[in-house]
PDB file of all heavy atoms in Angstrom:
ATOM      1  N   TYR E 131      98.342 112.365 103.510  1.00 89.00           N
ATOM      2  CA  TYR E 131      98.397 113.240 102.362  1.00 89.00           C
ATOM      3  C   TYR E 131      98.302 112.346 101.122  1.00 89.00           C
ATOM      4  O   TYR E 131      98.873 111.255 101.083  1.00 89.00           O
ATOM      5  CB  TYR E 131      99.727 114.000 102.312  1.00 89.00           C
ATOM      6  CG  TYR E 131      99.979 114.910 103.490  1.00 89.00           C
ATOM      7  CD1 TYR E 131     101.166 114.807 104.221  1.00 89.00           C
ATOM      8  CD2 TYR E 131      99.063 115.877 103.860  1.00 89.00           C
ATOM      9  CE1 TYR E 131     101.420 115.645 105.299  1.00 89.00           C
ATOM     10  CE2 TYR E 131      99.310 116.716 104.937  1.00 89.00           C
ATOM     11  CZ  TYR E 131     100.489 116.593 105.649  1.00 89.00           C
ATOM     12  OH  TYR E 131     100.743 117.419 106.713  1.00 89.00           O
ATOM     13  N   LEU E 132      97.612 112.808 100.107  1.00 92.00           N
ATOM     14  CA  LEU E 132      97.427 112.013  98.893  1.00 92.00           C
ATOM     15  C   LEU E 132      97.802 112.836  97.673  1.00 92.00           C
ATOM     16  O   LEU E 132      97.559 114.051  97.636  1.00 92.00           O
ATOM     17  CB  LEU E 132      95.972 111.550  98.782  1.00 92.00           C
ATOM     18  CG  LEU E 132      95.529 110.539  99.840  1.00 92.00           C
ATOM     19  CD1 LEU E 132      94.025 110.516  99.980  1.00 92.00           C
ATOM     20  CD2 LEU E 132      96.059 109.146  99.486  1.00 92.00           C
ATOM     21  N   PHE E 133      98.359 112.168  96.693  1.00 94.00           N
ATOM     22  CA  PHE E 133      98.880 112.858  95.510  1.00 94.00           C
ATOM     23  C   PHE E 133      98.542 112.056  94.259  1.00 94.00           C
ATOM     24  O   PHE E 133      98.457 110.826  94.284  1.00 94.00           O
ATOM     25  CB  PHE E 133     100.410 112.998  95.579  1.00 94.00           C
ATOM     26  CG  PHE E 133     100.910 113.648  96.834  1.00 94.00           C
ATOM     27  CD1 PHE E 133     101.164 112.891  97.973  1.00 94.00           C
ATOM     28  CD2 PHE E 133     101.127 115.011  96.881  1.00 94.00           C
ATOM     29  CE1 PHE E 133     101.617 113.482  99.146  1.00 94.00           C
ATOM     30  CE2 PHE E 133     101.587 115.612  98.051  1.00 94.00           C
ATOM     31  CZ  PHE E 133     101.823 114.855  99.179  1.00 94.00           C
ATOM     32  N   TRP E 134      98.408 112.775  93.162  1.00 97.00           N
ATOM     33  CA  TRP E 134      98.415 112.184  91.828  1.00 97.00           C
ATOM     34  C   TRP E 134      99.544 112.836  91.042  1.00 97.00           C
ATOM     35  O   TRP E 134      99.676 114.059  91.014  1.00 97.00           O
ATOM     36  CB  TRP E 134      97.092 112.404  91.098  1.00 97.00           C
ATOM     37  CG  TRP E 134      96.031 111.407  91.435  1.00 97.00           C
ATOM     38  CD1 TRP E 134      94.997 111.554  92.307  1.00 97.00           C
ATOM     39  CD2 TRP E 134      95.889 110.094  90.867  1.00 97.00           C
ATOM     40  NE1 TRP E 134      94.230 110.414  92.335  1.00 97.00           N
ATOM     41  CE2 TRP E 134      94.754 109.519  91.458  1.00 97.00           C
ATOM     42  CE3 TRP E 134      96.610 109.359  89.914  1.00 97.00           C
ATOM     43  CZ2 TRP E 134      94.309 108.220  91.122  1.00 97.00           C
ATOM     44  CZ3 TRP E 134      96.176 108.088  89.589  1.00 97.00           C
ATOM     45  CH2 TRP E 134      95.047 107.530  90.187  1.00 97.00           C
ATOM     46  N   TYR E 135     100.332 111.957  90.408  1.00 97.00           N
ATOM     47  CA  TYR E 135     101.408 112.392  89.528  1.00 97.00           C
ATOM     48  C   TYR E 135     101.141 111.869  88.125  1.00 97.00           C
ATOM     49  O   TYR E 135     100.550 110.804  87.951  1.00 97.00           O
ATOM     50  CB  TYR E 135     102.761 111.847  90.001  1.00 97.00           C
ATOM     51  CG  TYR E 135     103.333 112.547  91.212  1.00 97.00           C
ATOM     52  CD1 TYR E 135     102.992 112.141  92.495  1.00 97.00           C
ATOM     53  CD2 TYR E 135     104.233 113.599  91.064  1.00 97.00           C
ATOM     54  CE1 TYR E 135     103.533 112.777  93.606  1.00 97.00           C
ATOM     55  CE2 TYR E 135     104.777 114.239  92.171  1.00 97.00           C
ATOM     56  CZ  TYR E 135     104.417 113.827  93.426  1.00 97.00           C
ATOM     57  OH  TYR E 135     104.961 114.448  94.528  1.00 97.00           O
ATOM     58  N   VAL E 136     101.641 112.593  87.128  1.00 97.00           N
ATOM     59  CA  VAL E 136     101.558 112.146  85.741  1.00 97.00           C
ATOM     60  C   VAL E 136     102.973 112.037  85.183  1.00 97.00           C
ATOM     61  O   VAL E 136     103.855 112.838  85.520  1.00 97.00           O
ATOM     62  CB  VAL E 136     100.711 113.116  84.879  1.00 97.00           C
ATOM     63  CG1 VAL E 136     101.292 114.526  84.864  1.00 97.00           C
ATOM     64  CG2 VAL E 136     100.561 112.594  83.457  1.00 97.00           C
ATOM     65  N   GLN E 137     103.161 111.008  84.353  1.00 96.00           N
ATOM     66  CA  GLN E 137     104.466 110.805  83.714  1.00 96.00           C
ATOM     67  C   GLN E 137     104.256 110.628  82.218  1.00 96.00           C
ATOM     68  O   GLN E 137     103.641 109.641  81.797  1.00 96.00           O
ATOM     69  CB  GLN E 137     105.174 109.589  84.300  1.00 96.00           C
ATOM     70  CG  GLN E 137     106.565 109.376  83.735  1.00 96.00           C
ATOM     71  CD  GLN E 137     107.250 108.146  84.308  1.00 96.00           C
ATOM     72  OE1 GLN E 137     106.611 107.137  84.602  1.00 96.00           O
ATOM     73  NE2 GLN E 137     108.563 108.223  84.474  1.00 96.00           N
ATOM     74  N   TYR E 138     104.770 111.563  81.445  1.00 94.00           N
ATOM     75  CA  TYR E 138     104.757 111.424  79.995  1.00 94.00           C
ATOM     76  C   TYR E 138     105.958 110.590  79.576  1.00 94.00           C
ATOM     77  O   TYR E 138     106.953 110.511  80.312  1.00 94.00           O
ATOM     78  CB  TYR E 138     104.751 112.801  79.344  1.00 94.00           C
ATOM     79  CG  TYR E 138     103.527 113.605  79.716  1.00 94.00           C
ATOM     80  CD1 TYR E 138     103.598 114.612  80.675  1.00 94.00           C
ATOM     81  CD2 TYR E 138     102.291 113.327  79.140  1.00 94.00           C
ATOM     82  CE1 TYR E 138     102.473 115.324  81.046  1.00 94.00           C
ATOM     83  CE2 TYR E 138     101.157 114.036  79.515  1.00 94.00           C
ATOM     84  CZ  TYR E 138     101.263 115.036  80.471  1.00 94.00           C
ATOM     85  OH  TYR E 138     100.146 115.733  80.851  1.00 94.00           O
ATOM     86  N   PRO E 139     105.907 109.969  78.408  1.00 88.00           N
ATOM     87  CA  PRO E 139     106.991 109.068  77.991  1.00 88.00           C
ATOM     88  C   PRO E 139     108.371 109.694  78.107  1.00 88.00           C
ATOM     89  O   PRO E 139     108.587 110.836  77.683  1.00 88.00           O
ATOM     90  CB  PRO E 139     106.623 108.752  76.547  1.00 88.00           C
ATOM     91  CG  PRO E 139     105.134 108.884  76.507  1.00 88.00           C
ATOM     92  CD  PRO E 139     104.804 110.019  77.434  1.00 88.00           C
ATOM     93  N   ASN E 140     109.276 108.933  78.713  1.00 84.00           N
ATOM     94  CA  ASN E 140     110.685 109.324  78.862  1.00 84.00           C
ATOM     95  C   ASN E 140     110.880 110.626  79.630  1.00 84.00           C
ATOM     96  O   ASN E 140     111.845 111.371  79.388  1.00 84.00           O
ATOM     97  CB  ASN E 140     111.347 109.434  77.482  1.00 84.00           C
ATOM     98  CG  ASN E 140     111.327 108.108  76.747  1.00 84.00           C
ATOM     99  OD1 ASN E 140     111.664 107.080  77.327  1.00 84.00           O
ATOM    100  ND2 ASN E 140     110.897 108.132  75.502  1.00 84.00           N
ATOM    101  N   GLN E 141     109.960 110.895  80.539  1.00 88.00           N
ATOM    102  CA  GLN E 141     110.096 112.091  81.366  1.00 88.00           C
ATOM    103  C   GLN E 141     109.972 111.719  82.839  1.00 88.00           C
ATOM    104  O   GLN E 141     109.641 110.586  83.196  1.00 88.00           O
ATOM    105  CB  GLN E 141     109.027 113.127  80.996  1.00 88.00           C
ATOM    106  CG  GLN E 141     109.184 113.702  79.604  1.00 88.00           C
ATOM    107  CD  GLN E 141     108.224 114.847  79.356  1.00 88.00           C
ATOM    108  OE1 GLN E 141     107.756 115.510  80.287  1.00 88.00           O
ATOM    109  NE2 GLN E 141     107.943 115.092  78.081  1.00 88.00           N
ATOM    110  N   GLY E 142     110.239 112.699  83.697  1.00 90.00           N
ATOM    111  CA  GLY E 142     110.043 112.516  85.126  1.00 90.00           C
ATOM    112  C   GLY E 142     108.583 112.662  85.490  1.00 90.00           C
ATOM    113  O   GLY E 142     107.713 112.783  84.631  1.00 90.00           O
ATOM    114  N   LEU E 143     108.301 112.633  86.785  1.00 95.00           N
ATOM    115  CA  LEU E 143     106.933 112.743  87.277  1.00 95.00           C
ATOM    116  C   LEU E 143     106.586 114.201  87.561  1.00 95.00           C
ATOM    117  O   LEU E 143     107.395 114.943  88.113  1.00 95.00           O
ATOM    118  CB  LEU E 143     106.763 111.917  88.563  1.00 95.00           C
ATOM    119  CG  LEU E 143     106.504 110.441  88.382  1.00 95.00           C
ATOM    120  CD1 LEU E 143     107.757 109.714  87.935  1.00 95.00           C
ATOM    121  CD2 LEU E 143     105.987 109.837  89.690  1.00 95.00           C
ATOM    122  N   GLN E 144     105.370 114.547  87.213  1.00 95.00           N
ATOM    123  CA  GLN E 144     104.873 115.908  87.420  1.00 95.00           C
ATOM    124  C   GLN E 144     103.672 115.846  88.358  1.00 95.00           C
ATOM    125  O   GLN E 144     102.774 115.035  88.165  1.00 95.00           O
ATOM    126  CB  GLN E 144     104.467 116.517  86.075  1.00 95.00           C
ATOM    127  CG  GLN E 144     103.933 117.933  86.161  1.00 95.00           C
ATOM    128  CD  GLN E 144     103.507 118.476  84.810  1.00 95.00           C
ATOM    129  OE1 GLN E 144     103.547 117.778  83.796  1.00 95.00           O
ATOM    130  NE2 GLN E 144     103.103 119.727  84.776  1.00 95.00           N
ATOM    131  N   LEU E 145     103.657 116.697  89.361  1.00 94.00           N
ATOM    132  CA  LEU E 145     102.554 116.711  90.310  1.00 94.00           C
ATOM    133  C   LEU E 145     101.293 117.266  89.648  1.00 94.00           C
ATOM    134  O   LEU E 145     101.288 118.378  89.127  1.00 94.00           O
ATOM    135  CB  LEU E 145     102.924 117.571  91.516  1.00 94.00           C
ATOM    136  CG  LEU E 145     101.889 117.669  92.628  1.00 94.00           C
ATOM    137  CD1 LEU E 145     101.651 116.308  93.282  1.00 94.00           C
ATOM    138  CD2 LEU E 145     102.332 118.682  93.693  1.00 94.00           C
TER     139      LEU E 145
END
Side-chain angles (χ1 to χ4, degrees):
Chain E
Y131 298 127
L132 292 159
F133 306 87
W134 276 99
Y135 285 87
V136 60
Q137 183 181 34
Y138 299 102
N140 299 313
Q141 294 188 24
L143 277 73
Q144 180 182 3
L145 181 64

